[in-house]
Amino acid sequence: MQSQRVWLLGFWASPFVQRVKWALKLKGVEYEYIEEDLFDKSSLLLKLNPVQKLVPVLVHNRKPISESILILEYIDEVWKQNPLLPHDPYERAQARFWAKFAEEKVRESTWDALCSRGEEREKAVKSSIEALEKFEEELKLKGTKFFGGETIGFVDLVAGFISYQLPVFEEVGSMKILDSSKFPATFDWIYNFLNHPVIKDDLPAKDLMFDYYAKRSKEISDEKDSCRNA
């Protein structure tokens, strides 16, 4: 690998990889993408991320960086154009807070809803809606197109899964989490986000996502049932 080249190891369905791809494109950074098979991991992935053995992995100056949120911060520090995080320390801390909230409260609860059944799913759906209510309130307070103001920023990239992945989760799981009458600011944000040229030109195919998540959610749900009955 040439020292100044940028490489990204990823998996097509991963929202963590997707946010890194968007960040690189927003910054105008050229990179080489290497698709990984997470069910048959390459020796390259195991070498570059021996601890977690997961994607994404960004390689820059022959040095690997893992964890998507850490990668976003690295990208923002190395390539200064089109900043993702605010300059003001307080606003930067707030952005990190909401990114963490989107990741730990919204994404994890929606994933739990997809990969569970019965009362467990109902509980996860309730948690997802409650988390999205907080997300909605913050968007209303900001009153801007994006969390980053009039341009896409750090929080928007981390929360981007809400725009394209969550509707697939709802369809696969036959559940309702997003409601336009309850979350009007969130739906406006989704519209603005999905219509940004960098975003709309780089989204996984919906039919492929549906098939993949239908299979994965069933596998995980079956594993949970097997553990309960063991």
Side-chain angles (χ1 to χ4, degrees), residues 192-219:
N192 292 328
F193 188 77
L194 291 179
N195 281 280
H196 189 285
V198 165
I199 306 303
K200 70 180 181 180
D201 291 339
D202 192 357
L203 288 168
K206 184 178 179 181
D207 57 338
L208 295 180
M209 282 198 297
F210 182 93
D211 291 344
Y212 173 76
Y213 285 113
K215 180 182 178 183
R216 284 296 293 143
S217 60
K218 184 179 186 303
E219 289 172 346

Side-chain angles (χ1 to χ4, degrees), residues 215-228:
K215 180 182 178 183
R216 284 296 293 143
S217 60
K218 184 179 186 303
E219 289 172 346
I220 294 171
S221 295
D222 288 347
E223 286 174 10
K224 288 181 178 180
D225 290 342
S226 177
C227 288
R228 291 191 190 99

Side-chain angles (χ1 to χ4, degrees), residues 101-123:
F101 182 88
E103 181 69 17
E104 296 183 358
K105 298 298 183 182
V106 182
R107 193 197 64 77
E108 289 186 10
S109 60
T110 56
W111 177 250
D112 287 344
L114 176 67
C115 298
S116 57
R117 294 169 177 157
E119 291 184 6
E120 188 178 343
R121 170 171 286 180
E122 290 177 10
K123 182 179 178 181

Side-chain angles (χ1 to χ4, degrees), residues 123-139:
K123 182 179 178 181
V125 167
K126 184 174 182 291
S127 296
S128 300
I129 293 172
E130 290 172 350
L132 281 166
E133 287 173 347
K134 301 297 184 184
F135 190 84
E136 173 78 8
E137 289 172 10
E138 183 63 15
L139 280 170

Side-chain angles (χ1 to χ4, degrees), residues 176-187:
K176 189 65 176 176
I177 295 173
L178 284 171
D179 185 327
S180 59
S181 64
K182 189 170 185 177
F183 301 113
T186 303
F187 269 78

Side-chain angles (χ1 to χ4, degrees), residues 48-209:
L48 294 174
N49 191 1
V51 177
Q52 297 171 313
K53 303 178 177 64
L54 296 173
V55 295
V57 178
L58 184 77
V59 183
H60 179 230
N61 292 333
R62 296 183 179 178
K63 298 175 182 178
I65 307 104
S66 56
E67 290 281 357
S68 64
I69 291 180
L70 299 181
I71 294 173
L72 292 186
E73 295 212 32
Y74 177 86
I75 290 171
D76 206 33
E77 290 179 11
V78 172
W79 293 280
K80 303 296 185 182
Q81 65 272 24
N82 303 323
L84 303 177
L85 280 162
H87 176 72
D88 178 77
Y90 175 78
E91 293 299 326
R92 194 159 58 244
Q94 288 298 299
R96 289 187 175 116
F97 170 85
W98 284 106
K100 184 178 175 68
F101 182 88
E103 181 69 17
E104 296 183 358
K105 298 298 183 182
V106 182
R107 193 197 64 77
E108 289 186 10
S109 60
T110 56
W111 177 250
D112 287 344
L114 176 67
C115 298
S116 57
R117 294 169 177 157
E119 291 184 6
E120 188 178 343
R121 170 171 286 180
E122 290 177 10
K123 182 179 178 181
V125 167
K126 184 174 182 291
S127 296
S128 300
I129 293 172
E130 290 172 350
L132 281 166
E133 287 173 347
K134 301 297 184 184
F135 190 84
E136 173 78 8
E137 289 172 10
E138 183 63 15
L139 280 170
K140 285 181 176 178
L141 282 173
K142 282 189 169 294
T144 53
K145 287 178 67 175
F146 304 107
F147 265 96
E150 295 306 308
T151 58
I152 288 178
F154 188 73
V155 181
D156 303 292
L157 295 179
V158 176
F161 69 91
I162 296 171
S163 69
Y164 75 98
Q165 190 183 57
L166 180 51
V168 174
F169 284 9
E170 290 180 301
E171 189 175 350
V172 170
S174 299
M175 55 190 181
K176 189 65 176 176
I177 295 173
L178 284 171
D179 185 327
S180 59
S181 64
K182 189 170 185 177
F183 301 113
T186 303
F187 269 78
D188 286 345
W189 171 80
I190 288 173
Y191 176 84
N192 292 328
F193 188 77
L194 291 179
N195 281 280
H196 189 285
V198 165
I199 306 303
K200 70 180 181 180
D201 291 339
D202 192 357
L203 288 168
K206 184 178 179 181
D207 57 338
L208 295 180
M209 282 198 297

Side-chain angles (χ1 to χ4, degrees), residues 8-13 17 21 33-38 42 55:
L8 175 63
L9 279 70
F11 177 64
W12 70 272
V17 173
K21 292 169 69 177
Y33 178 73
I34 301 172
E35 177 72 11
E36 281 290 330
D37 181 352
L38 296 188
S42 72
V55 295

